[in-house]
């Protein structure tokens, strides 16, 4: 008989059935294991949540994470106030729609946004933009036809080709220069002084959702720069922007954690205790 997987059932002693061959030839006795399950009186003491069918339980919401490796460049199809009163962004895409579900997270120019609608027939998806997102990012400057960097949240089997990107834009920067060198491109960006302290030479930074390595930091100019190789220039939106255009910036989270620990006195208290 089938064995129930319910938490309300516990095994008792199993029965062992013996079958003996009566042939004149000597044969060993074969033992057959028969599981025997029956309800237990302990059921009354189990929490109600333990007895709920598994199909009714909801898995914990995952914490989204990105790598800064852009999967494709999509195109803004529509941007504006929606009938429900919110602010919607509709983007034409193809790669990021593979396996997409409602509620999934997709980074749009480095901003983690939630998929509220999608249509594979016309190859587009919709995300909502909150007032805070519009204030903190450069997404409000998009218009129909604008290209955008797109990346789906990583899965347990994804390769970490870039660095840990949360999709939480810290602030924006402005392109102050674009200078080619061979087939590569130097890009210099000015940002706010408070953010510049988290940007270090040879450190990570996400620019419009693209994982990049900082080359130099110019504190007196409140600027930093990076270089794009020819391949990257073909895969991301940064080279398509002009001097004076905004870029979304997300600094490496590690620097913020270190600063927080130092300010809280954790390091000094740890040193004193040792």
């Amino acid at each position: 008989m089938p064995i129930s997987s319910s938490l309300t059932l516990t095994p008792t002693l199993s029965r062992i059935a013996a079958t003996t061959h009566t042939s004149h030839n000597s044969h060993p006795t074969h033992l057959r294991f028969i599981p025997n399950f029956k309800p237990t009186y302990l059921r009354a003491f189990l929490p109600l949540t333990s007895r709920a069918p598994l199909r009714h339980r909801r898995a914990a919401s995952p914490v989204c994470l990105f790598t800064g490796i852009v999967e494709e460049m999509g195109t803004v199809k529509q941007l504006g106030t929606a009938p429900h009163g919110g602010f919607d962004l509709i983007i034409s895409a193809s790669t990021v729609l593979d396996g997409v579900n409602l509620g999934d997270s997709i980074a749009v120019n480095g901003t983690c946004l939630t998929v509220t609608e999608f249509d594979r027939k016309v190859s587009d998806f919709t995300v909502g933009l909150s007032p805070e997102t519009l204030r903190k990012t450069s997404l409000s400057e998009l218009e129909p036809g604008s290209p955008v960097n797109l990346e789906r949240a990583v899965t347990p089997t994804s390769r970490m080709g870039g660095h840990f990107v949360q999709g939480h834009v810290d602030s924006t920067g402005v392109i102050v220069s674009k200078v080619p060198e061979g087939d590569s491109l130097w890009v210099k960006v000015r940002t706010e002084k408070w953010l510049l302290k988290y940007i270090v030479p040879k450190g990570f930074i996400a620019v419009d959702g693209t994982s990049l390595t900082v080359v130099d930091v110019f504190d007196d100019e409140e600027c930093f720069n990076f270089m794009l190789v020819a391949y990257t220039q073909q895969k991301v939106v940064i080279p398509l922007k002009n001097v004076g255009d905004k870029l979304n910036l997300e600094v490496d989270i590690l620097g913020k954690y270190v600063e927080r620990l130092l300010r809280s006195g954790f390091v000094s208290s740890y040193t004193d205790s040792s």
Side-chain angles (χ1 to χ4, degrees):
M1 70 177 180
I3 299 174
S4 172
S5 61
S6 170
L7 291 176
T8 63
L9 300 179
T10 56
T12 59
L13 293 176
S14 302
R15 293 186 291 112
I16 299 178
T19 304
T20 305
H21 294 270
T22 57
S23 170
H24 65 278
N25 294 327
S26 176
H27 292 284
T29 298
H30 298 278
L31 300 180
R32 188 156 48 95
F33 182 79
I34 305 176
N36 184 20
F37 288 84
K38 68 178 182 179
T40 174
Y41 294 109
L42 293 177
R43 175 184 181 185
F45 298 96
L46 291 175
L48 292 176
T49 53
S50 299
R51 292 180 284 172
L54 290 177
R55 64 177 179 274
H56 291 159
R57 299 179 188 172
R58 298 182 60 184
S61 300
V63 177
C64 296
L65 187 69
F66 305 91
T67 68
I69 303 300
V70 176
E71 294 187 276
E72 70 170 315
M73 284 193 289
T75 304
V76 174
K77 195 171 182 179
Q78 186 177 325
L79 175 70
T81 305
H84 53 72
F87 204 83
D88 280 353
L89 172 62
I90 303 176
I91 300 171
S92 296
S94 56
T95 301
V96 297
L97 292 179
D98 183 22
V100 71
N101 293 293
L102 292 179
D104 283 356
S105 294
I106 294 179
V108 179
N109 277 359
T111 309
C112 179
L113 300 173
T114 302
V115 176
T116 56
E117 294 180 37
F118 66 90
D119 190 334
R120 291 193 178 92
K121 291 183 179 179
V122 296
S123 296
D124 69 22
F125 68 96
T126 302
V127 291
L129 301 178
S130 69
E132 178 67 4
T133 299
L134 293 171
R135 285 190 294 265
K136 279 281 188 181
T137 71
S138 64
L139 297 182
S140 61
E141 298 185 354
L142 296 174
E143 56 187 24
S146 296
V148 287
N149 290 333
L150 301 175
E151 182 193 353
R152 291 168 292 184
V154 298
T155 66
T157 58
S158 300
R159 296 182 62 184
M160 284 298 299
H163 72 283
F164 292 124
V165 178
Q166 296 179 295
H168 303 160
V169 174
D170 291 300
S171 187
T172 58
V174 177
I175 298 175
V176 295
S177 68
K178 294 168 59 181
V179 180
E181 182 180 344
D183 62 354
S184 296
L185 180 68
W186 284 100
V187 181
K188 193 172 186 179
V189 179
R190 179 181 294 112
T191 188
E192 299 171 85
K193 188 174 182 178
W194 71 265
L195 187 65
L196 199 66
K197 65 181 178 180
Y198 300 111
I199 303 174
V200 297
K202 311 310 177 189
F204 290 122
I205 190 168
V207 180
D208 271 351
T210 306
S211 175
L212 297 170
T213 302
V214 176
V215 178
D216 288 308
V217 177
F218 310 94
D219 291 308
D220 54 336
E221 302 176 49
E222 299 183 357
C223 295
F224 68 94
N225 68 358
F226 54 86
M227 179 174 273
L228 299 175
V229 298
Y231 178 83
T232 305
Q233 292 177 53
Q234 305 301 317
K235 301 296 181 180
V236 301
V237 303
I238 300 170
L240 303 177
K241 293 193 172 185
N242 301 313
V243 171
D245 287 348
K246 287 184 178 181
L247 300 165
N248 290 329
L249 304 178
E250 181 187 333
V251 297
D252 191 355
I253 189 65
L254 182 60
K256 296 184 195 175
Y257 280 129
V258 172
E259 180 185 57
R260 177 71 172 172
L261 288 171
L262 291 173
R263 284 185 173 180
S264 67
F266 173 81
V267 176
S268 59
S269 62
Y270 178 80
T271 304
D272 294 340
S273 63
S274 60

